[in-house]
């Protein structure tokens, strides 16, 4: 399966905070890029040592600004190529390919009021969502936690555009964002969480404990599979081939590099397109698509984010 | 629409909106909330209903996420209340509703576009406004919240 991509070049690079850079991507052979809805992301394809490094990033520009796209990337301490490459090697004028915008974190059309909870770089999907709601004249609020004002990406943009809707929480001022604010949302509210895994699970659990219906709770975590604890593993396909997945690679990347026609779409563990059958081995599931029962069964896995717990896996592509 | 109220576990608060008869139907659920030591509120809808509607809308709109609502009212009073409930933002996963008593039907007049309320089971009726004789069809219009009434005698 070959995905349609769009060739773009780096039009500008801006340092938002000591750790976050914003990249503006402009189209090469078209004047406009495809329009997108609030919460969309793209996949970037960067040529690396062993094939392409593919990463998902939220679009942070306004949905109706389509002469270029913007993405914001935080340099992660345990980066294995993705954010490190973006921060250290990419220059203005460089060419790369990106996917068409995908949206697996859309706004609810039923909500009477939207509340966004962001921690750190988790702010990125909310910028386009807030712009879309402003346009639709729907009410919303943002609760945004960061270490300090200096480390707070998009601080001035948010102050300028969404001051009335936003509460900032800076931990260096001992102002901590607590999940107790979930107590105050009026009926008809939908909540959206984006940030580190622990942040998301704390808010999700509390919302569920209070009795929020599942369909009113939305969340997104990128980069979940790129932790420094990742280990390399071996995969055998039922067709006979054997593939090694390095600690810096996803299983999907390894399959594709080895010329295997593995299916995929979102690459962030939400759509289920990349599901394969597991014949042998235990799985560390990192997706938000499979049910708990499916995860515990160890009979299927999503190759874009999940990895082997054991040293060896045997899988079958459908 | 469910026939029997079902207790939905682990909500921070339960609301009950009912008339006298409705309360008896919801009683097993209220008892369950009491046994569980859950917090709950009962709003009794007495006789002066018109007067109460704005208050009810206000009360509903003050509720927080995590609340679960049970409504049990005579069929013909149910519809306007349901509209309010949904307008305020309760989703299908956040409330259950039950009607009791005679189920009446709204019929939409194909000539004057007014609505006439009739007892269930009637097949021919006179439009209450233009008095045209209407045949009550099976065709329910979600837009009008009524069954379409066709000209009975062509
Ligand atoms: S590609 Fe969508 S879940 Fe893996
Ligand atoms: Zn009429």
């Amino acid at each position: 399966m070959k995905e349609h991509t769009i060739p773009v070049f780096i039009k500008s690079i801006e340092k938002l905070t000591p750790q976050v850079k914003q990249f503006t991507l402009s189209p090469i052979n078209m004047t406009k890029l495809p329009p997108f809805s609030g919460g969309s992301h793209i996949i970037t394809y960067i040529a690396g040592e062993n094939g392409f490094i593919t990463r998902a990033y939220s679009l942070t520009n306004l949905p109706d600004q389509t002469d270029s796209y913007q993405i914001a990337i935080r340099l992660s301490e345990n980066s294995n190529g993705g954010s490190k490459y973006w921060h250290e090697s990419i220059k203005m004028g460089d060419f790369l390919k990106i996917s068409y915008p995908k949206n697996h974190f859309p706004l609810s059309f039923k909500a009477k009021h939207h509340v966004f909870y962001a921690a750190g770089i988790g702010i990125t999907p909310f910028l386009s969502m807030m712009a879309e709601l402003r346009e639709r004249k729907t009410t919303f609020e943002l609760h945004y936690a960061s270490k300090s004002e200096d480390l707070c990406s998009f601080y001035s943009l948010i102050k300028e555009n969404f001051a009335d809707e936003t509460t900032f929480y800076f931990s260096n001022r001992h102002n901590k964002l607590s999940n107790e604010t979930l107590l105050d949302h009026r009926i008809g509210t939908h909540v959206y969480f984006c940030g580190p895994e622990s942040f998301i699970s704390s808010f999700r659990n509390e919302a569920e404990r209070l009795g929020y219906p599942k369909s009113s709770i939305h969340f997104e975590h990128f980069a979940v599979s790129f932790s420094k604890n990742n280990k390399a593993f071996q995969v055998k396909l039922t067709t006979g081939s054997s593939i090694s997945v390095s600690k810096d690679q996803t299983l999907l990347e390894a399959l594709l590099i080895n010329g295997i026609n593995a299916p995929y779409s979102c690459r962030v563990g939400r759509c289920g397109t990349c599901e394969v059958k597991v014949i042998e081995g235990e799985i560390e599931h990192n997706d938000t698509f499979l049910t708990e029962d499916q995860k515990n069964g160890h009979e299927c896995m999503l190759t874009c984010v999940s990895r082997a717990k054991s040293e060896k896996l045997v899988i079958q592509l459908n | 629409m469910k026939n029997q109220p079902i207790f939905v576990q682990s909500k921070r608060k339960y609301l009950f909106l009912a008339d006298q008869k409705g309360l008896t139907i919801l009683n097993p659920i209220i008892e369950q909330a009491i046994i569980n030591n859950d917090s709950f509120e009962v709003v009794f809808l007495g006789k002066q209903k018109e007067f109460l509607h704005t208050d009810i809308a206000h009360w509903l709109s003050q509720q927080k996420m995590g609340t679960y609502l049970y409504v049990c009212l005579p069929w013909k009073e149910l519809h306007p209340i349901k509209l309010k409930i949904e307008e305020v933002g309760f989703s299908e996963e956040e409330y259950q509703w039950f009607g009791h008593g005679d189920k009446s039907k709204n019929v939409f007049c194909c000539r004057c576009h007014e609505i006439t309320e009739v007892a269930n089971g009637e097949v021919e009726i006179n439009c209450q406004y233009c008095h045209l004789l209407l045949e009550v069809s099976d065709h329910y219009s979600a837009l009008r919240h009524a069954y379409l009434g066709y000209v009975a005698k062509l």
Side-chain angles (χ1 to χ4, degrees):
Chain A
M1 189 179 95
K2 186 95 181 77
E3 180 166 33
H4 287 286
T5 54
I6 307 171
V8 293
F9 71 98
I10 307 287
K11 195 172 168 221
S12 60
I13 302 175
E14 195 189 332
K15 201 159 192 168
L16 297 182
T17 74
Q19 284 153 13
V20 178
K21 279 186 180 177
Q22 172 166 270
F23 299 85
T24 302
L25 315 174
S26 289
I28 290 172
N29 41 27
M30 29 181 167
T31 46
K32 289 252 176 271
L33 289 160
F36 62 94
S37 51
S40 294
H41 72 269
I42 52 167
I43 310 292
T44 59
Y45 293 82
I46 302 252
E49 276 163 36
N50 33 13
F52 280 102
I53 304 175
T54 54
R55 292 291 182 271
Y57 296 110
S58 296
L59 292 170
T60 56
N61 53 301
L62 302 181
D64 55 2
Q65 279 174 8
T66 53
D67 48 339
S68 58
Y69 286 160
Q70 283 176 328
I71 55 177
I73 301 177
R74 179 177 183 276
L75 177 64
S76 69
E77 294 90 49
N78 41 48
S79 172
N80 44 52
S83 69
K84 192 159 177 243
Y85 190 87
W86 274 97
H87 271 254
E88 292 170 6
S89 308
I90 291 256
K91 310 175 298 307
M92 263 166 67
D94 281 357
F95 294 107
L96 70 143
K97 286 194 169 135
I98 61 172
S99 71
Y100 279 75
K102 307 162 190 257
N103 200 344
H104 296 282
F105 196 35
L107 287 164
S108 156
F109 271 86
K110 287 202 199 124
K112 302 285 171 189
H113 182 64
H114 304 255
V115 181
F116 304 110
Y117 284 91
I121 195 67
I123 187 64
T124 55
F126 298 144
L127 298 169
S128 63
M129 291 165 119
M130 292 193 293
E132 185 174 327
L133 291 176
R134 170 72 48 85
E135 195 99 309
R136 280 202 226 156
K137 300 195 171 27
T138 303
T139 59
F140 62 90
E141 61 195 90
L142 167 67
H143 298 268
Y144 182 9
S146 182
K147 287 211 181 85
S148 66
E149 200 179 306
D150 297 341
L151 294 175
C152 181
S153 305
F154 301 104
Y155 179 71
S156 44
L157 179 133
I158 292 169
K159 276 211 104 163
E160 236 166 72
N161 295 285
F162 307 114
D164 292 345
E165 289 89 358
T166 303
T167 313
F168 291 99
Y169 302 81
F170 297 123
S171 43
N172 73 333
R173 289 188 209 153
H174 305 290
N175 184 6
K176 205 171 169 312
L177 172 56
S178 128
N179 59 21
E180 274 167 35
T181 49
L182 290 169
L183 281 165
D184 298 331
H185 302 318
R186 67 171 166 85
I187 199 83
T189 300
H190 279 233
V191 288
Y192 304 77
F193 310 129
C194 191
E197 181 64 42
S198 57
F199 171 83
I200 293 175
S201 52
S202 137
F203 279 80
R204 269 180 77 192
N205 292 343
E206 181 61 7
E208 281 179 24
R209 196 187 66 80
L210 290 172
Y212 280 51
K214 282 210 166 66
S215 59
S216 307
I217 305 173
H218 313 265
F219 55 92
E220 179 81 303
H221 34 75
F222 286 152
V224 65
S225 59
F226 308 115
S227 103
K228 57 173 166 257
N229 302 325
N230 281 355
K231 288 194 192 70
F233 58 98
Q234 255 339 92
V235 181
K236 219 174 133 97
L237 303 190
T238 45
T239 52
S241 30
S242 200
I243 285 172
S244 31
V245 184
S246 75
K247 68 180 198 336
D248 305 337
Q249 248 179 342
T250 66
L251 171 54
L252 177 63
E253 284 169 349
L255 292 170
L256 294 173
I257 285 161
N258 283 281
I260 287 152
N261 207 5
Y264 63 90
S265 172
C266 71
R267 286 183 177 257
V268 289
R270 292 193 82 96
C271 73
T273 310
C274 64
E275 182 175 329
V276 298
K277 230 177 162 165
V278 177
I279 309 290
E280 203 189 304
E282 264 190 63
I283 310 303
E284 172 199 313
H285 292 283
N286 291 319
D287 62 276
T288 47
F289 177 82
L290 298 177
T291 64
E292 280 313 305
D293 284 350
Q294 284 174 313
K295 287 182 181 178
N296 294 332
H298 294 280
E299 281 171 11
C300 57
M301 74 181 294
L302 300 180
T303 62
C304 66
V305 291
S306 299
R307 311 183 67 84
K309 239 187 214 165
S310 41
E311 261 163 42
K312 211 183 107 202
L313 282 188
V314 181
I315 60 167
Q316 180 182 357
L317 266 73
N318 306 323
Chain B
M1 172 190 28
K2 296 138 192 122
N3 296 322
Q4 281 292 320
I6 296 164
F7 187 73
V8 177
Q9 297 278 351
S10 46
K11 300 286 169 180
R12 69 198 280 198
K13 187 172 159 197
Y14 295 85
L15 308 174
F16 301 94
L17 174 60
D19 66 344
Q20 191 71 54
K21 175 86 191 298
L23 278 184
T24 60
I25 295 172
L26 294 180
N27 199 42
I29 304 292
I30 300 176
E31 277 176 2
Q32 188 62 53
I34 294 171
I35 292 169
N36 293 2
N37 214 355
D38 288 325
S39 72
F40 68 93
E41 224 175 297
V42 178
V43 168
F44 177 69
L45 213 50
K47 284 279 175 290
Q48 310 110 314
K49 281 153 194 143
E50 279 314 311
F51 171 71
L52 276 167
H53 269 190
T54 45
D55 293 351
I56 287 171
H58 179 74
W59 172 70
L60 289 170
S61 69
Q62 295 308 299
Q63 301 305 325
K64 305 284 192 192
M65 286 300 286
T67 308
Y68 200 91
L69 168 67
Y70 290 87
V71 187
C72 189
L73 292 169
W75 278 110
K76 54 176 191 286
E77 284 164 37
L78 203 53
H79 180 66
I81 295 271
K82 275 186 67 196
L83 284 183
K84 291 233 161 67
I85 291 170
E86 275 162 29
E87 191 182 297
V88 155
F90 282 88
S91 68
E92 277 164 28
E93 288 158 283
E94 290 163 307
Y95 83 106
Q96 287 174 32
W97 53 273
F98 307 90
H100 63 75
D102 276 342
K103 214 169 169 178
S104 67
K105 221 180 199 180
N106 285 336
V107 179
F108 178 77
C109 175
C110 60
R111 181 162 74 188
C112 72
H113 296 189
E114 293 293 340
I115 301 249
T116 301
E117 197 184 312
V118 300
N120 229 357
E122 298 270 2
V123 276
E124 265 187 12
I125 59 137
N126 282 99
C127 169
Q128 182 186 338
Y129 298 87
C130 74
H131 307 294
L132 180 68
L133 187 64
L134 296 171
E135 183 192 323
V136 180
S137 77
D138 300 335
H139 191 150
Y140 184 75
S141 158
L143 183 71
R144 320 263 184 205
H145 300 296
Y147 288 86
L148 301 184
Y150 299 134
V151 188
K153 289 199 181 94
L154 286 173

